Amino acid sequence: MKPLKRPVRRGLLVAHVAVSVSWLGLTVGLLALGITAFATGDPATVGAATRAMKIFGDWLVVPVALLALVSGLVLALGTPWGLARHRWVWTKFWLTLITTGLSVFSLRPGIDAAAVDKAVDINLVIAPSVATATYLFITAISILKPWGLTRRGRRLRFSASSAKSVDARSPRQTA
C-alpha cells in the first residue's frame, strides 16, 4: 500500500482514535447495564437494561468494532509503523480482530438472548469486563509503544540500513 499523505493520515488517525474511544465507552456502558440487570431483583429494571443493551448491540457494537479494525488496519498499512514491524502494532491488530469476532459472534447473541428472556446471567457482566480490560490494554500499548521490532521489522530495518550504507559509499548517484 502506498504511504498515506499527511492530511489523510492525520484525519484517519483522528477518526481511528474517536472510534476506538467510542468502542471503549460503549463497552463500559454495556458493563454498567449488565451489572444493573444482574444485580437487581426488579423485573422492570432487568427488562429496561436488557432492551438498552440490545439497542447498543444491534446498532453500535458491530459498526464501531469494524470501523476501529478497518481504520487501524489502513493506518498500519499506510504508515511506516507497518502491520507486522512492531510488536505493539501486531498485538493491537490481533486483539482488535479477536475482540471484534467475539463482539459479533458471542456478545451480540448473548445480549439478544437476554433481551428475549428478560434475564441476565453472569456472562453479560464478564464479557464487557474482559472487553473493557482489553481495550484499556490496547490503549496503553498504543501510547507506550512497548516491546520493539518483530523479526520481520528487524529484517526490514537491517536491509534498509545495509542499502543506505552501500549507497553512501557509492560514487554514483542512485535513484
Side-chain angles (χ1 to χ4, degrees), residues 4 8-24 63-76 79 81 83 88-89 92-93 95-97 100 135 138-139 141-143 145:
L4 298 171
V8 173
R9 187 191 78 238
R10 292 176 78 179
L12 188 58
L13 180 61
V14 168
H16 177 68
V17 169
V19 169
S20 299
V21 169
S22 298
W23 198 12
L24 176 61
V64 168
L66 291 175
L67 282 170
L69 178 64
V70 170
S71 62
L73 192 58
V74 172
L75 277 170
T79 63
W81 288 109
L83 182 60
W88 70 272
V89 177
K92 269 185 68 169
F93 168 71
L95 286 174
T96 304
L97 188 64
T100 299
Y135 304 147
I138 290 172
T139 301
I141 65 174
S142 296
I143 294 166
K145 298 172 181 43

Side-chain angles (χ1 to χ4, degrees), residues 15 27 79 82 92 94 97 104 118-119 122 126-127 132 139 146 153 162 166 168:
T27 306
T79 63
K92 269 185 68 169
W94 282 106
L97 188 64
V104 172
K118 298 208 182 350
I122 193 67
I126 293 172
T132 300
T139 301
S162 297
V166 169

Side-chain angles (χ1 to χ4, degrees), residues 33-168:
L33 290 167
I35 290 171
T36 301
F38 184 74
T40 188
D42 180 24
T45 303
V46 171
T50 56
R51 281 193 311 276
M53 290 177 81
K54 183 161 174 40
I55 291 169
F56 281 10
D58 288 348
W59 292 97
L60 296 173
V61 169
V62 175
V64 168
L66 291 175
L67 282 170
L69 178 64
V70 170
S71 62
L73 192 58
V74 172
L75 277 170
L77 295 174
T79 63
W81 288 109
L83 182 60
R85 291 182 185 175
H86 298 271
R87 284 189 181 108
W88 70 272
V89 177
W90 194 232
T91 302
K92 269 185 68 169
F93 168 71
W94 282 106
L95 286 174
T96 304
L97 188 64
I98 290 166
T99 53
T100 299
L102 289 173
S103 294
V104 172
F105 299 113
S106 181
L107 181 63
R108 280 197 62 225
I111 291 171
D112 290 344
V116 169
D117 299 340
K118 298 208 182 350
V120 174
D121 63 358
I122 193 67
N123 290 331
L124 284 185
V125 175
I126 293 172
S129 298
V130 171
T132 300
T134 303
Y135 304 147
L136 288 171
F137 177 72
I138 290 172
T139 301
I141 65 174
S142 296
I143 294 166
L144 301 174
K145 298 172 181 43
W147 306 314
L149 296 171
T150 62
R151 191 176 317 158
R152 181 177 188 276
R154 286 190 301 272
R155 190 174 59 247
L156 289 171
R157 182 174 283 172
F158 177 75
S159 67
S161 67
S162 297
K164 285 181 184 175
S165 63
V166 169
D167 287 345

